[in-house]
Amino acid sequence: MRIVHNLAVPAAFLNSLTAILLLGWLHATASANDPELVHRHAIAMHGEPKYAAGFSHFDHVNPDAPKGGSLTLAARGSFDSINPLIVRGNSAAGIREYVLESLMARSYEEPFTLYGLLAESIATSPDRKVVEFKLRAEARFSTGERVTADDVLFTWELLRTKGRPNHRNFYNRVVEAEKIDARTIRFTFDENGDRELPLILGLMPVLSVQQTDAEAFEETTLDGLVGSGPYTLAEAEPGAAVVYRRNPDYWGRDLAVNQGRYNFDTIRYDYYRDDNAVFEAFKKGLYDIRGEGDPAQWATAYNFPAVDDGRVLLEELETGLPKGMLAFVPNNRRPPFDDVRVRKALIRAFDFEWINQSLYHGLYERTGSFFQGSALSARGQAADAPELALLEPWSDYVEPALLDGTGQMPSTDGSGRDRSMLRDALGLLKRAGFESREGKLVNAGTGQPFSFEILVASRDQERLALAYARTLERLGIEVAVRLVDSAQYQRRRTSYDYDMIQFRWGASLSPGNEQRFRWSSEGVKTEGTFNFPGVSNPAVDAMIDALVAAQSREDFEAAVRALDRVLLSGHYVIPLFHLPRQWVARWNRIDRPQQTPLFGFRIDTWWAIPE
């Protein structure tokens, strides 16, 4: 790896006027030698950006939204660090969103398009193995210091060696990092680089080299990170609250990407012990906005006076995103979950129809794909020619029913005692080497009972896990449901110290390198990834390589559907369910834009109604 932080010229010489002129000549020459690097205001993963240079604001914002007032939100559990960029600790809510800024800003109206933020422009080579960013001259940290190329290179180096596993993975694919001048940085990727890497670098948060302690970076701390974002950290009290105050000197308030955003003077997250306390606090008006994910709550609990008299508004919002995958996640690193027949039996034993009616008023829909509800989903459609070409070397890793589109999620009669479901699940378990003895399911060879623990972090998770456990116990499987505090849950989840957990992988219309962080074989042993089931599958790795290398939208969608088929064929998780729409409740002292972007509502575009 070649890292160039400055030009190879003696320091004394650089202090002279001659050196300054030489630097300018060298930069101009470098640009002339790279005619393929044409700077633009934006970059799209596929196709062209929606907004041309010189646009005034995003369509999903109200550019005339009033500034002022306060926003209070709720968080559950606690935090012991304000650094969200490291593995250790549980970081405070909001740091990444309000304090730290990236080189570029994401458009939430497009699958994956970035527009200039700290960087005024971006340039890539045709194969996207080289990316160059030019910083804005006016970009400043909250301390007033200019954001420079040195800060960008410092952050890149820091995160590739001490950051979270996804940062280390992505940023270590840079083989050359160059400071072209004080405002221009160029990154060159390795031979395995893909077309998404320039955008991933564009989303890199930038830290101050002067204000960041690199030696202690991996340690949990409550000392504020210095960023360039619209807010600064005002208070941080673990278990109680974290407060952000809008920076009146924020350098980027007039940028097109920021118009209509960051409207509150203060943003506060109050922490509560459990979900019940969070909901009761909302009813009392102690915080302003609540995204609701519990159908039972949505159907029955919003009948308090503030709803009746209009002070609390209930809204159902349509989004354009895939629904993601909420699932029970068996740890495939441990037996007997390393046997696909056992995993298939556990999927068959989940009685969605009964659970949906009994616990959730029938408001959920069953999830059958990692990209449910979009053109990226493989469920219900046969593989097309591009998919078949991708999957041909990996035919042993795809079930025929998932290849031809006939495979469906199992269903029951909704009685809670569907004999066919239990019979099918038990048949799979017997083929995996288990048998019933005195009402208990045991390993036929060792006599060891089939027992495991479901680790949960909330009462809602506990309720669902107990309902699932009751069905499994009818098969003779002993299940313990263990509720732990958020800190312990985070530690055990990060180190894969569990038999089964519940987790949700969100989904976008432009999945990319984050799929490595979720499903790559490397994540089986690397702590801190989202590969919670322990997927180790060369076909999965190959499909991820294909989707991140795709240049056309057609090839990209084919690769994602192929990935979906391989993941579903592995039966790595027990798919649960999803909400058909976004449900949100808000006190009428807060308002929002009329248009909901592709990604769903964005609180950073909301505002306080002036008194």
Side-chain angles (χ1 to χ4, degrees), residues 58 60 106-110 113 261 597-600 602 604:
F58 292 131
H60 71 277
R106 188 163 194 163
S107 164
Y108 291 96
E109 301 166 12
E110 303 167 76
T113 301
R261 302 174 66 197
L598 191 68
F599 282 65
R602 301 289 306 171
D604 62 299

Side-chain angles (χ1 to χ4, degrees), residues 572-589:
Y572 296 110
V573 302
I574 297 105
L576 298 179
F577 34 67
H578 60 270
L579 298 176
R581 288 168 292 280
Q582 270 192 333
W583 297 333
V584 60
R586 60 182 168 96
W587 284 81
N588 65 4
R589 56 182 175 259

